[in-house]
Amino acid sequence: MAAAPEEEVPGETGAEEGSASKLPLPRFVSLKSARVNLRVGPGKDYAVSWLYTKPGLPVEIVQEYELWRRIRDSEGTEGWVYHSLLSGVRTGIAAPWLKGKTTTIDLHRNTSEDATVVAKMEPGVVSKVKECAFAWCEVEVSGRKGYVRQNDIWGVYPDEKF
């Protein structure tokens, strides 16, 4: 079995691209399947270290090897998944660093701190991210649409626009 290439440090040389996909590294994607095995190496012969059971969960691709992607989740866990188990659909997790605390993240009607709050998300809630610009992201969660401060969700980069 071929060894995985030495891990590159994302961002060291500016915009990097994946050796297989030619897409930017690192980048956020989401889990496509309800059952995704996280493996210790890039291949089916490697042991499974974790099983994800939440489709739509955002993850960050940090490395590529042929058809395998090394991902990192919001808790910092890393491992390898097969590329077809990932989706380009952008999602975000409401402030996972606040899980277990009695606080909520406000979902606003528009991109203003003074805008009407249309919903409150508990830390750890996953939402679809439609677009981000100027420190705000338009999201949808449980049928509700609104805007959340970009730094209140994990799954987008600071100042990322799309």
Side-chain angles (χ1 to χ4, degrees):
M1 175 173 290
E6 188 174 313
E7 185 169 347
E8 299 172 22
V9 178
E12 266 193 357
T13 59
E16 294 183 34
E17 63 180 37
S19 60
S21 70
K22 304 299 183 207
L23 294 171
L25 283 180
R27 68 182 179 278
F28 282 105
V29 295
S30 58
L31 300 181
K32 188 187 293 186
S33 175
R35 291 182 55 87
V36 176
N37 288 328
L38 186 72
R39 296 183 180 273
V40 298
K44 290 189 177 188
D45 292 339
Y46 286 95
V48 173
S49 60
W50 191 256
L51 173 65
Y52 292 103
T53 57
K54 186 164 182 68
L57 190 72
V59 294
E60 184 179 30
I61 296 177
V62 296
Q63 188 179 0
E64 296 182 355
Y65 180 72
E66 296 176 354
L67 297 178
W68 292 85
R69 305 295 180 256
R70 184 174 179 90
I71 64 164
R72 177 184 307 130
D73 66 22
S74 65
E75 295 177 3
T77 301
E78 289 191 19
W80 294 88
V81 300
Y82 195 66
H83 74 104
S84 67
L85 298 173
L86 301 172
S87 167
V89 173
R90 295 295 296 269
T91 60
I93 301 177
W97 51 89
L98 296 176
K99 262 186 165 176
K101 303 223 183 324
T102 54
T103 188
T104 56
I105 306 303
D106 291 340
L107 191 62
H108 298 265
R109 183 173 311 280
N110 60 45
T111 59
S112 168
E113 290 290 337
D114 298 331
T116 303
V117 174
V118 296
K120 292 182 176 284
M121 297 185 291
E122 292 181 2
V125 168
V126 175
S127 63
K128 284 186 179 175
V129 181
K130 304 272 190 189
E131 65 179 325
C132 293
F134 308 106
W136 289 88
C137 293
E138 182 182 4
V139 302
E140 182 178 347
V141 59
S142 299
R144 293 210 180 241
K145 295 179 182 176
Y147 295 85
V148 65
R149 287 187 308 261
Q150 197 160 351
N151 61 357
D152 282 342
I153 57 174
W154 189 91
V156 297
Y157 296 108
D159 301 322
E160 181 181 13
K161 292 183 171 102
F162 64 92

